[in-house]
Amino acid sequence: MRLGWLVLLVGAGAASSAWAADASQTGTAAAAPAWQGFYAGVYASDDITALHLAMPGEFSFDGIGGESGFGGALLGYNHRFSERVVGGAEIDAALAAGGSHLDASEDESYFNSSVTGDWGASITGRIGYLVSPDTLFYAVGGGVVAVASYGCTSNEFDCPARMQKTMY
């Protein structure tokens, strides 16, 4: 089994929460976020793409693209090491539905292939610098595991049956 680490990105995060609404009601300035403590969340996404490409009498690709959706949950913790330095860790898990596919045909020949994501999980760590009380620039790194299924059918090629692959 091969274990690979994925360095994700350097990004910026900004806090937005109920503390801003409290300030407008009382007429006082809102306190900056503490950038410390536990947090939890959920997320979901949906994606639909499709393309039809044909050259009459030569070939046709019908349905290059896919329909997919995923959703998951996350749990994390931030710790403020100093006035400007924040570190944290986060775990998340997601389930996926749908995937990408390719359907190709020419005369009597056909080839159908698909890849679907099944589930994934990650653990990440982050270290950041507060450029202002409510803006954190940070670097993230961590590891991920994902499981996908793939396969194809064809009357011209020897295709693998539907298989599942775990990736690290």
Side-chain angles (χ1 to χ4, degrees):
M1 216 182 281
R2 182 174 57 106
L3 181 63
W5 287 94
L6 174 66
V7 176
L8 299 175
L9 58 97
V10 174
S16 63
S17 60
W19 57 267
D22 292 340
S24 64
Q25 293 173 356
T26 62
T28 61
W35 293 102
Q36 181 152 324
F38 286 98
Y39 62 92
V42 295
Y43 55 91
S45 176
D46 185 44
D47 181 36
I48 299 173
T49 57
L51 174 67
H52 176 79
L53 176 65
M55 183 174 276
E58 296 294 322
F59 65 86
S60 73
F61 293 109
D62 187 12
I64 300 173
E67 300 174 26
S68 62
F70 67 90
L74 59 94
L75 178 65
Y77 179 78
N78 287 325
H79 180 77
R80 196 161 179 175
F81 292 102
S82 69
E83 184 178 324
R84 299 256 183 206
V85 178
V86 176
E90 184 176 290
I91 58 172
D92 83 294
L95 295 175
S100 297
H101 61 270
L102 168 66
D103 300 320
S105 63
E106 176 184 2
D107 298 325
E108 299 298 315
S109 301
Y110 67 89
F111 176 80
N112 304 314
S113 176
S114 66
V115 177
T116 58
D118 297 330
W119 64 269
S122 70
I123 183 167
T124 58
R126 116 181 101 262
I127 189 76
Y129 183 80
L130 286 166
V131 294
S132 73
D134 61 355
T135 304
L136 177 69
F137 283 99
Y138 59 94
V140 177
V144 64
V145 61
V147 175
S149 301
Y150 61 94
C152 67
T153 58
S154 175
N155 65 350
E156 294 287 325
F157 304 103
D158 190 20
C159 287
R162 194 87 180 141
M163 302 175 73
Q164 198 172 58
K165 173 79 173 165
T166 302
M167 297 158 279
Y168 301 93

